[in-house]
Amino acid sequence: MKYWLGLMSGTSMDAVDAVLVSFDDQSLAIKGTFSLPYPEELRQRLLLATRNQADADELGELDTLVGQHFGTTACELISRSGVLKEQIQAIGSHGQTLRHQPSGPAPFSMQIGRAACIAEMTGLTTVSDFRSRDLAAGGQGAPLVPAFHQWLFRCNHQDRCILNLGGIANITWLPAAGIKAIIGFDTGPANALLDAWCLDQTGRHFDENGHLANEGATHAELLASMLSDAYFSKTPPKSTGKERFNLDWINTHLQRFPELPPADVQRTLLQLTVITILRQMPQESANMTVYACGGGTFNSLLMNELRIGLGSVNLTTTADLGLDPQWVEPVAFAWMARQTLMGQPGNLPEVTGAKGPRVLGAIYPA
Ligand SMILES: Nc1ncnc2c1ncn2[C@@H]1O[C@H](COP(=O)(O)OP(=O)(O)O)[C@@H](O)[C@H]1O
Ligand SMILES: [Mg+2]
């Protein structure tokens, strides 16, 4: 059985991204990809749930509906790719994060999307719930992708920084020399605030190519106020989500500046994403290359501003390393499922802060 199937939807809650992939010792090949947007009504219900506006009945229903949506995405990918189910080893499903509270009194990270539904709909072994075990071992449960970045992207002669621009931004610093430890953490918002403000002001889910932001100017005082959030100066391990960086967060900072044009706010939020990434990027190497991935790579204004801020440090995307930026995360969760079924760890304790390496995930047999 040659293929693994990865399913991912991040905090942007835009769509389920799916890949069929085969792995070699140190490389991979993508056989097929498919992305299925959430129906608008389901997306609205998920948005309310992330704001704690869902009771137990609603949470139960959403868990099933999202599981079915993930299952449909997997089935559609399989039929489009022409691959037989017998050729697929297993599915790795990240699920949909609703809340991420790694530092609360009872730490948890809640992903929904019943893997039982996915296993039932596809007839394939499904691995899910990747974050819980790392949390139970004292870790943040996030970010998990650095282990995969290390496996695929670490290189002996070049310092590399993988920058994922999803709803939240996370970086993985991969030093060339084996002696230095890998660094990985969430820097804060990438698209989460950009999307939230754009939706509130225009009804559109995201600011295509930074169009609205491009019409505005950065407001220095608003930017300074936002930069004072304690998350940005916290030392890793750290991870965050939409429970912190959301429309309420923006409106709290806007109270002192009620008359600002929406485009100025959009531009300031974009600058916030750029500056918080740049300030937290490890400065250890001048000849480092930054490889971006995730939906934010399609925002040309965001990429341009990052490029200007990085100066002599080269910015490109993971396409230059042979992996399309849109598919890095779903491939990572196909790889995670493989780690689980091989009995191998999926976390990096130096990144998450867990007590040690752990085999992650819950297995729903075919
Ligand atoms: N052309 C574009 N212009 C601006 N932003 C874009 C564009 N394409 C995608 N995005 C951003 O990428 C996000 C989706 O990225 P994704 O990597 O799927 O994030 P997540 O992992 O959080 O789901 C969208 O919500 C949007 O903010
Ligand atoms: Mg997405």
Side-chain angles (χ1 to χ4, degrees):
M1 288 194 279
K2 199 174 163 188
Y3 298 108
W4 299 79
L5 199 156
L7 296 171
M8 172 74 198
S9 174
T11 46
S12 302
M13 303 198 311
D14 52 329
V16 178
D17 296 323
V19 294
L20 262 173
V21 58
S22 58
F23 295 103
D24 228 320
D25 275 353
Q26 200 89 75
S27 65
L28 58 84
I30 290 186
K31 176 69 178 168
T33 61
F34 181 62
S35 202
L36 188 62
Y38 280 121
E40 193 53 37
E41 194 221 326
L42 180 55
R43 193 177 189 180
Q44 291 306 328
R45 287 170 72 176
L46 289 169
L47 265 171
L48 287 174
T50 62
R51 293 190 205 126
N52 264 345
Q53 292 171 27
D55 61 15
D57 275 342
E58 175 68 357
L59 282 178
E61 281 185 26
L62 285 175
D63 202 0
T64 300
L65 290 172
V66 172
Q68 289 169 346
H69 190 73
F70 273 63
T72 303
T73 312
C75 291
E76 191 63 33
L77 170 60
I78 294 166
S79 74
R80 283 171 186 238
S81 66
V83 164
L84 299 174
K85 280 188 183 167
E86 295 68 38
Q87 295 175 281
I88 303 172
Q89 190 94 31
I91 295 175
S93 176
H94 173 269
Q96 178 63 59
T97 298
L98 287 189
R99 306 285 291 176
H100 181 68
Q101 303 282 23
S103 309
F108 74 94
S109 185
M110 183 191 275
Q111 283 76 43
I112 62 164
R114 265 181 228 295
C117 294
I118 304 171
E120 196 60 33
M121 289 169 76
T122 59
L124 293 168
T125 297
T126 303
V127 187
S128 70
D129 190 23
F130 289 96
R131 301 192 188 275
S132 295
R133 185 60 186 269
D134 185 86
L135 278 150
Q140 295 276 309
L144 293 179
V145 283
F148 169 70
H149 292 163
Q150 173 187 33
W151 177 80
L152 186 63
F153 295 137
R154 198 167 191 182
C155 158
N156 284 332
H157 56 268
Q158 184 193 43
D159 288 345
R160 293 176 169 175
C161 185
I162 313 299
L163 170 63
N164 178 40
L165 300 168
I168 298 297
N170 58 277
I171 59 177
T172 306
W173 185 66
L174 301 167
I179 34 164
K180 285 190 193 160
I182 287 170
I183 299 171
F185 59 92
D186 291 346
T187 59
N191 298 304
L193 299 177
L194 300 177
D195 288 358
W197 182 252
C198 185
L199 182 64
D200 187 58
Q201 295 297 308
T202 71
R204 296 192 302 269
H205 279 295
F206 64 91
D207 182 23
E208 196 166 358
N209 297 327
H211 189 75
L212 177 61
N214 210 19
E215 290 170 8
T218 301
H219 189 276
E221 280 179 81
L222 175 62
L223 181 61
S225 166
M226 290 172 165
L227 283 169
S228 70
D229 187 291
Y231 184 80
F232 301 126
S233 48
K234 212 167 150 188
T235 49
K238 62 176 180 177
S239 56
T240 189
K242 270 186 163 169
E243 46 288 309
R244 183 172 195 132
F245 295 110
N246 52 33
L247 188 61
D248 292 342
W249 188 90
I250 300 174
N251 285 328
T252 303
H253 287 281
L254 273 178
Q255 275 168 8
R256 280 171 50 211
F257 315 99
E259 303 300 330
L260 271 190
D264 286 7
V265 177
Q266 191 75 31
R267 181 60 180 236
T268 306
L269 290 170
L270 186 130
Q271 227 49 48
L272 176 77
T273 292
V274 171
I275 291 176
T276 51
I277 289 168
L278 294 174
R279 283 192 182 168
Q280 295 177 83
M281 196 158 271
Q283 299 293 323
E284 323 232 356
S285 158
N287 74 348
M288 168 176 79
T289 295
V290 178
Y291 296 92
C293 59
T297 54
F298 299 109
N299 184 335
S300 45
L301 182 64
L302 178 63
M303 289 297 280
N304 277 342
E305 292 295 315
L306 277 168
R307 191 164 282 116
I308 292 167
L310 280 165
S312 61
V313 173
N314 193 27
L315 172 67
T316 181
T317 74
T318 54
D320 277 1
L321 299 174
L323 188 50
D324 188 302
Q326 195 184 343
W327 307 114
V328 175
E329 294 248 311
V331 169
F333 283 92
W335 182 85
M336 288 282 169
R338 181 169 168 263
Q339 291 294 101
T340 304
L341 295 179
M342 291 194 316
Q344 298 288 324
N347 63 339
L348 292 180
E350 65 268 40
V351 167
T352 63
K355 273 179 268 180
R358 294 289 187 272
V359 180
L360 307 178
I363 302 169
Y364 293 72

